[in-house]
């Protein structure tokens, strides 16, 4: 089936394809295929790849079950290290913010609420950037995508690092958006049951980040 798909992206860990149509869906689907690393022992490589595929699928399913808008899972093939998932029709948040026409307060509130829900079910995304957040075309719902580095953790430290990664993404890609990110945190605090320990850890993570920057 993947033979008829079109390669749209290749990263360090996986290839991403677009397959149209898919079964009865004319919009098709996204196919994510993790590839082998030749520098690893074949048995170890297969175990690690299998675990990453299962972990990504598990986190996606966990989020969907909690009512978080993420791509729907269609098929998981651990042996082929491949996940078939919903193709989101929409735009990435990075482009929307750069364009400067969106209501940033509404966006910030939606981001904070979505991340709060995700962390309340102990899913850590691992790669939160404005390229991994989308708005659907049909209803402007906020979608979290690309769970390739995600994992399950109850630790406030891990969730704080998740928020810090997003904060750094905002500061590097979208200058002068400090107020926007603070509004995201305000929304997060309002909606997240475990916000207090996570935001407390965020201050520690920020301090460590500043020290690393000073030391080069």
């Amino acid at each position: 089936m993947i033979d008829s798909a079109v390669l749209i992206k290749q990263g360090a860990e996986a290839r991403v394809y677009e397959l149209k149509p898919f079964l009865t869906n004319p919009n098709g689907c996204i196919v994510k295929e993790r590839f082998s690393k030749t520098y690893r022992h074949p048995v170890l490589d297969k175990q690690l790849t299998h675990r990453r595929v299962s972990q990504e699928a598990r986190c996606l399913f966990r989020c969907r079950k909690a009512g978080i808008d993420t791509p729907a899972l269609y098929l998981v093939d651990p042996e082929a290290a491949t996940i078939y998932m919903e193709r989101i029709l929409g735009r990435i948040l990075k482009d929307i913010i750069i364009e400067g026409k969106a209501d940033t307060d509404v966006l910030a509130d939606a981001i904070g609420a979505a991340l709060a829900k995700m962390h309340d079910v102990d899913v850590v995304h691992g790669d939160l950037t404005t390229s991994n957040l989308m708005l659907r075309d049909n209803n402007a719902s906020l979608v979290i995508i690309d769970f390739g580095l995600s994992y399950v953790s109850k630790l406030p430290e891990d969730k704080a690092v998740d928020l810090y990664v997003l904060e750094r993404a905002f500061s590097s890609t979208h200058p002068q958006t400090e107020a926007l990110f603070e509004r995201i945190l305000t929304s997060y605090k309002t909606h997240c049951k475990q916000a207090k320990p996570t935001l407390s850890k965020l201050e520690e993570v920020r301090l460590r980040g500043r020290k690393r920057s000073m030391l080069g």
Side-chain angles (χ1 to χ4, degrees):
M1 191 182 294
I2 199 172
D3 293 339
S4 58
V6 177
L7 180 67
I8 57 174
K9 180 182 177 183
Q10 176 161 339
E13 300 289 333
R15 300 182 188 93
V16 180
Y17 299 85
E18 185 179 280
L19 180 61
K20 291 199 302 184
F22 178 69
L23 300 178
T24 59
N25 188 341
N27 293 326
C29 75
I30 293 297
V31 185
K32 185 172 184 179
E33 177 192 41
R34 287 184 176 270
F35 45 79
S36 299
K37 299 295 183 66
T38 54
Y39 60 81
R40 291 195 297 226
H41 187 281
V43 175
L44 176 62
D45 180 72
K46 187 171 183 178
Q47 289 175 343
L48 291 174
T49 303
H50 187 287
R51 186 174 69 183
R52 287 303 309 164
V53 169
S54 299
Q55 196 161 277
E56 181 174 356
R58 191 179 303 115
C59 287
L60 273 168
F61 178 75
R62 199 174 183 126
C63 286
R64 291 282 293 188
K65 189 178 178 182
I68 303 161
D69 198 348
T70 58
L73 277 174
Y74 294 151
L75 176 67
V76 181
D77 186 347
E79 289 304 312
T82 303
I83 299 176
Y84 293 75
M85 67 188 88
E86 178 187 6
R87 175 174 171 258
I88 305 296
L89 300 180
R91 299 178 65 202
I92 62 170
L93 203 64
K94 178 182 176 181
D95 294 342
I96 293 170
I97 293 174
I98 290 173
E99 191 178 74
K101 295 180 180 178
D103 187 328
T104 53
D105 285 349
V106 172
L107 283 178
D109 291 346
I111 295 167
L115 299 186
K117 278 187 178 181
M118 183 178 74
H119 285 172
D120 273 343
V121 294
D122 297 326
V123 171
V124 175
H125 185 277
D127 189 23
L128 284 174
T129 68
T130 51
S131 293
N132 287 335
L133 298 169
M134 294 183 70
L135 286 184
R136 289 184 184 271
D137 284 341
N138 58 350
N139 59 5
S141 173
L142 182 82
V143 190
I144 307 175
I145 64 169
D146 196 354
F147 281 72
L149 297 178
S150 64
Y151 59 97
V152 174
S153 173
K154 293 181 178 294
L155 296 176
E157 169 99 7
D158 291 341
K159 296 168 187 178
V161 170
D162 229 12
L163 296 177
Y164 182 69
V165 168
L166 182 61
E167 182 176 31
R168 296 295 296 171
F170 265 97
S171 63
S172 62
T173 310
H174 310 285
Q176 301 178 328
T177 53
E178 293 84 359
L180 173 60
F181 189 77
E182 284 305 313
R183 180 151 184 147
I184 291 173
L185 293 184
T186 299
S187 175
Y188 180 89
K189 185 177 180 180
T190 300
H191 294 93
C192 185
K193 298 172 186 175
Q194 308 165 40
K196 189 174 181 179
T198 299
L199 294 179
S200 177
K201 282 291 181 182
L202 177 59
E203 291 303 319
E204 295 179 23
V205 172
R206 280 169 166 167
L207 182 60
R208 291 203 301 267
R210 286 194 291 269
K211 285 181 177 177
R212 280 197 294 270
S213 297
M214 289 169 62
L215 294 172

